[in-house]
Amino acid sequence: MSQRTLQIKALTVETQRQGQRVKLVDNLSLSVERGKVLALVGPSGSGKSLTCAASLDVLPPGTWRKAGVISIDGEVRSPSSLRGREVAVILQNPRSAFNPVRTMCSHAYETLHAIGADLPGWQERAAMAMIAAGLSEPQRIFDLYPFEMSGGMLQRMMIALALMSEAPFLFADEPTTDLDLIVQRDILDLLERLKQERGLGILLVTHDMGVVARLAEQVAVIDSGRIVEAAAVSDLFLRPVHPTTRQLIDAHLSLYGMEWAA
Ligand SMILES: Nc1ncnc2c1ncn2[C@@H]1O[C@H](COP(=O)(O)OP(=O)(O)OP(=O)(O)O)[C@@H](O)[C@H]1O
Ligand SMILES: [Mg+2]
């Protein structure tokens, strides 16, 4: 494994509201290690998706990166150069990630072309990634346009494209939101395998503390664009310090009819 650590340092994202600049992500720093999962958790609207987007230069219109540096093993990299090559990405809203006038085959080709892997046999490679992501009929799906696919199928296709890229890092923004429980479990199993077998370093955005407990080694809690707590998973569940963290864990425990042990 050549690359070991991806660091986001002092990231600030702004927008303009009523003539005033407002910070949506505020001086945020994170570190993602190969072979490990860092979970980024926090309330809705706290800046999780913008953190991922700003780190890869895919911010939505009306927002911009005011400050911040992304580096791999200490070497500063331009966010746009990381996308697809060093960092595969699973976005929160799968439909927005696909070009509506291009088939899945064309999307797969583009992904492989971007990394110079559009060699003879590329379709088999694409089909294998699609099967691994739970799309069992790749030849049929190759011919489909985004509007012919369900949200869950598009989510799995995005995961397949991420697998095809063979990037050492993955930013997964709510990767299982649109999926039924069985597929959710399969995707989480797949991420765990990729972490172990390929040494993938994963930044996992999720609301689900059950997913955090299962997959992550480290957790960062974000609220109003700032990291308010960062800890190893076991410490965070046993000794949450910040009120936002306690709320997230309370909500998780009450969902399963459980209470704090102490
Ligand atoms: N294009 C935009 N223009 C202006 N403000 C935006 C834009 N996109 C997001 N925001 C604001 O930035 C903040 C953070 O949004 P973000 O999408 O990162 O939240 P999130 O933590 O991913 O939430 P969720 O859990 O609901 O996905 C929110 O207050 C949101 O309203
Ligand atoms: Mg989001």
Side-chain angles (χ1 to χ4, degrees), residues 132-178:
L135 293 165
S136 55
E137 297 176 279
Q139 295 308 328
R140 183 178 71 82
I141 291 165
F142 271 145
D143 293 335
L144 300 182
Y145 290 89
F147 77 91
E148 296 175 296
M149 310 229 324
S150 71
M153 287 169 84
L154 285 172
Q155 190 121 15
R156 279 181 270 175
M157 188 65 199
M158 199 154 45
I159 292 166
L161 295 174
L163 294 181
M164 280 173 223
S165 84
E166 292 194 352
F169 297 97
L170 171 69
F171 287 3
D173 189 356
E174 301 276 1
T176 55
T177 331
D178 267 342

Side-chain angles (χ1 to χ4, degrees), residues 21-83:
R21 289 183 166 205
V22 178
K23 287 182 179 156
L24 301 173
V25 175
D26 189 359
N27 198 26
L28 177 146
S29 297
L30 293 174
S31 190
V32 185
E33 278 180 52
R34 291 288 301 275
K36 301 251 166 77
V37 174
L38 169 68
L40 180 60
V41 300
S44 190
S46 55
K48 304 180 295 297
S49 294
L50 290 184
T51 296
C52 295
S55 306
L56 300 174
D57 231 3
V58 288
L59 279 169
T63 63
W64 58 88
R65 185 161 52 95
K66 174 78 167 72
V69 167
I70 319 297
S71 60
I72 294 186
D73 293 341
E75 189 185 319
V76 175
R77 308 289 294 272
S78 88
S80 58
S81 74
L82 297 174
R83 203 169 60 230

Side-chain angles (χ1 to χ4, degrees), residues 30-227:
L30 293 174
S31 190
V32 185
E33 278 180 52
R34 291 288 301 275
K36 301 251 166 77
V37 174
L38 169 68
L40 180 60
V41 300
S44 190
S46 55
K48 304 180 295 297
S49 294
L50 290 184
T51 296
C52 295
S55 306
L56 300 174
D57 231 3
V58 288
L59 279 169
T63 63
W64 58 88
R65 185 161 52 95
K66 174 78 167 72
V69 167
I70 319 297
S71 60
I72 294 186
D73 293 341
E75 189 185 319
V76 175
R77 308 289 294 272
S78 88
S80 58
S81 74
L82 297 174
R83 203 169 60 230
R85 292 169 196 272
E86 261 87 17
V87 185
V89 61
I90 302 170
L91 295 171
Q92 186 170 14
N93 174 1
R95 212 163 280 282
S96 68
F98 288 89
N99 183 330
V101 296
R102 292 181 38 201
T103 62
M104 294 303 122
C105 184
S106 157
H107 282 92
Y109 178 81
E110 188 193 43
T111 298
L112 292 171
H113 179 70
I115 56 163
D118 50 338
L119 306 168
W122 70 267
Q123 285 199 332
E124 284 75 43
R125 180 170 164 169
M128 275 165 59
M130 289 161 72
I131 290 167
L135 293 165
S136 55
E137 297 176 279
Q139 295 308 328
R140 183 178 71 82
I141 291 165
F142 271 145
D143 293 335
L144 300 182
Y145 290 89
F147 77 91
E148 296 175 296
M149 310 229 324
S150 71
M153 287 169 84
L154 285 172
Q155 190 121 15
R156 279 181 270 175
M157 188 65 199
M158 199 154 45
I159 292 166
L161 295 174
L163 294 181
M164 280 173 223
S165 84
E166 292 194 352
F169 297 97
L170 171 69
F171 287 3
D173 189 356
E174 301 276 1
T176 55
T177 331
D178 267 342
L179 305 175
D180 65 58
L181 284 175
I182 293 170
V183 180
Q184 275 189 31
R185 188 201 55 202
D186 290 350
I187 296 295
L188 295 175
D189 287 347
L190 178 65
L191 291 181
E192 185 143 44
R193 237 180 22 248
L194 290 168
K195 173 178 96 166
Q196 281 163 4
E197 291 172 7
R198 278 201 207 165
L200 194 66
I202 304 176
L203 176 63
L204 177 69
V205 173
T206 179
H207 282 111
D208 187 337
M209 295 305 277
V211 171
V212 173
R214 188 183 143 188
L215 270 191
E217 280 81 17
Q218 297 284 323
V219 194
V221 182
I222 182 173
D223 197 357
S224 304
R226 292 177 181 219
I227 300 294

Side-chain angles (χ1 to χ4, degrees), residues 225-246:
R226 292 177 181 219
I227 300 294
V228 294
E229 186 162 0
V233 170
S234 48
D235 291 342
L236 191 103
F237 275 93
L238 284 174
R239 288 178 288 279
V241 177
H242 195 274
T244 304
T245 315
R246 291 191 71 95

